[in-house]
Amino acid sequence: QVQLVESGGGLVQAGGSLRLSCAASGRPFSIYGQGWFRQAPGKEREFVASINWSGLSTNYADYAKDRFTISRDNAKTVYLQMNSLKPEDTAVYYCAAGIDYYGRSIAGYGYWGQGTQVTVSS
């Protein structure tokens, strides 16, 4: 079993930055890819970014590639650095893990955190 705990969300003004963290515990994590997704009120959960187990390969949603950076250290903590935040980035951000998967599909991830709220004021 794998447990994921997100932190780092909060309220920030437009143009500001936040760094989200996702701490993993449980089974050995070296084979897991991890991703970040977000869900705004009334909208479907959408892909933000993902990273493979080694940290050497990443994917980004188009809206995230110039402003967000995903990274990982010691194979158990994944970060999402978010810069130049916009009000439309307001959402609950979820961390996810999948065995040997780091794609864009929600279905590829078998483990999810509880989410952390990010609110960007205009």
Side-chain angles (χ1 to χ4, degrees):
Q1 192 73 331
V2 171
Q3 294 81 41
L4 304 172
V5 178
E6 304 97 333
S7 61
L11 174 64
V12 64
Q13 288 188 332
S17 298
L18 283 174
R19 188 174 83 154
L20 306 183
S21 299
C22 174
S25 61
R27 299 175 63 180
F29 227 64
S30 59
I31 61 171
Y32 287 81
Q34 286 191 258
W36 285 97
F37 291 77
R38 70 183 187 183
Q39 188 166 18
K43 295 187 177 182
E44 294 186 350
R45 192 169 298 189
E46 65 177 357
F47 172 78
V48 179
S50 61
I51 191 166
N52 76 333
W53 66 272
S54 70
L56 297 179
S57 185
T58 57
N59 293 310
Y60 292 94
D62 287 344
Y63 64 81
K65 63 178 59 177
D66 294 327
R67 300 185 294 125
F68 297 178
T69 302
I70 189 170
S71 61
R72 70 189 306 165
D73 65 13
N74 65 32
K76 284 203 167 185
T77 303
V78 174
Y79 305 96
L80 185 68
Q81 177 68 43
M82 304 187 294
N83 299 326
S84 302
L85 283 162
K86 304 175 181 179
E88 51 263 45
D89 294 318
T90 295
V92 177
Y93 283 71
Y94 296 91
C95 176
I99 298 176
D100 199 26
Y101 181 79
Y102 66 104
R104 300 168 184 264
S105 173
I106 291 173
Y109 297 91
Y111 301 96
W112 293 84
Q114 294 299 307
T116 185
Q117 176 70 47
V118 171
T119 303
V120 184
S121 63
S122 58

